[in-house]
Amino acid sequence: MKLFFKSTICYSLFLFIATTLCAMSKPPRILVFSKTEKFRHQSIAIGNVAIQEMGKANDFLVDTTTSAGQFTYNNLKRYAAVVFLSTTGDVLNPVQEKEFKKYINKGGGFVGVHAATDTEYDWEWYGDLVGAYFGGHPAGQVATLNVVDQSHISTMHLPKEWIRKDEWYNWKFIRKDLNVLITIDENTYKGGTNGDFHPMAWYHEFDGGRSFYTELGHTDASYKDPLFLNHLLGGIKYAAKFK
């Protein structure tokens, strides 16, 4: 009888260890969400592919979707972070908003790319999560970005002055307590309206989770640019707590 109990305990312990090791070895997963109710960026398609390739190269899995039906807590909790890739307009209904908020409250990660700030204008909590709301933009053009914090995983590889072409957003709302990573010099292009302090990328801890946003990523060329891709990868790693 004693031998039987010892064997049972050993077998149970083996199953526990095996299950734990299996769970530990399972690669983390992120969800890229690109539903649009207003303008749809052409770069979303190449952006999805680029993030999938990024995942393959960095040992995390990437699911992509345009379906807001994915926004249940039981589904979202499978993901280390959710990326809003140039979403626009009112993309979640009230029930889905509640489920997404629960995901963030319980430690989920959020990454906003470009038009993620052109999303959910009537949901104040989302505005605080993403950090700003879009207020218009001039034509795409070359400008100088100032990397004001090179200590973050998303910016440590970038030059202090980063000259590139993209579509530069102005803000009609921006939180004051963001950890700003990159600003844009309005003297280097036409159409800026936010003045001397015009943030372009930032991060913050918010309501239980982590949030990272980059305004960059309008153009197809962005998703072939190693500097931008490593910037985005760093943001994903921060939000997902990969490092």
Side-chain angles (χ1 to χ4, degrees):
M1 183 64 73
K2 289 183 179 180
L3 182 60
F4 172 78
F5 281 120
K6 286 182 179 179
S7 298
T8 301
I9 291 171
C10 288
Y11 181 66
S12 298
L13 183 59
F14 169 77
L15 285 179
F16 173 76
I17 293 172
T19 301
T20 302
L21 289 174
C22 182
M24 290 173 61
S25 65
K26 190 175 181 180
R29 184 181 296 268
I30 69 167
L31 178 66
V32 181
F33 179 57
S34 58
K35 180 180 178 181
T36 53
E37 290 294 340
K38 297 198 297 181
F39 182 79
R40 186 166 183 84
H41 284 73
Q42 176 180 305
S43 60
I44 288 174
I46 191 171
N48 273 319
V49 173
I51 297 173
Q52 287 174 320
E53 291 300 315
M54 187 185 295
K56 291 177 184 176
N58 291 275
D59 300 318
F60 61 88
L61 302 175
V62 179
D63 293 337
T64 64
T65 188
T66 58
S67 173
Q70 297 286 316
F71 280 71
T72 67
Y73 175 70
N74 283 337
N75 182 53
L76 294 178
K77 70 181 182 181
R78 301 188 298 124
Y79 298 101
V82 178
V83 180
F84 276 45
L85 179 60
S86 284
T87 51
T88 57
D90 188 4
V91 293
L92 302 177
N93 67 32
V95 173
Q96 293 157 353
E97 291 173 359
K98 184 178 178 180
E99 295 291 290
F100 183 49
K101 185 175 184 293
K102 181 178 179 180
Y103 165 75
I104 296 295
N105 293 161
K106 290 185 174 291
F110 169 82
V111 174
V113 180
H114 195 55
T117 46
D118 188 22
T119 302
E120 295 291 342
Y121 289 101
D122 295 328
W123 187 18
E124 185 178 347
W125 180 89
Y126 177 83
D128 286 329
L129 172 71
V130 69
Y133 277 132
F134 168 74
H137 65 79
Q141 57 196 291
V142 174
T144 299
L145 300 170
N146 295 313
V147 181
V148 296
D149 182 354
Q150 289 181 300
S151 67
H152 194 263
I153 190 172
S154 68
T155 54
M156 57 180 55
H157 67 289
L158 295 175
K160 287 286 289 183
E161 290 190 352
W162 187 13
I163 300 171
R164 71 190 307 274
K165 183 177 182 179
D166 214 316
E167 181 181 77
W168 309 116
Y169 282 3
N170 296 311
W171 310 118
K172 63 180 180 181
F173 158 77
I174 187 163
R175 281 181 64 97
K176 294 181 179 180
D177 61 348
L178 303 171
N179 301 299
V180 175
L181 297 165
I182 300 174
T183 62
I184 193 166
D185 183 349
E186 290 191 359
N187 295 314
T188 64
Y189 73 106
K190 295 180 180 179
T193 63
N194 288 107
D196 292 338
F197 185 68
H198 189 156
M200 286 282 109
W202 53 78
Y203 70 97
H204 64 141
E205 293 188 7
F206 177 75
D207 211 11
R210 286 184 173 188
S211 171
F212 169 86
Y213 172 78
T214 181
E215 187 278 342
L216 287 61
H218 171 81
T219 64
D220 285 4
S222 295
Y223 300 95
K224 298 177 182 177
D225 176 6
L227 290 178
F228 171 74
L229 289 174
N230 280 306
H231 170 58
L232 179 55
L233 174 61
I236 291 171
K237 286 183 174 181
Y238 163 77
K241 301 178 183 178
F242 288 164
K243 285 189 177 180

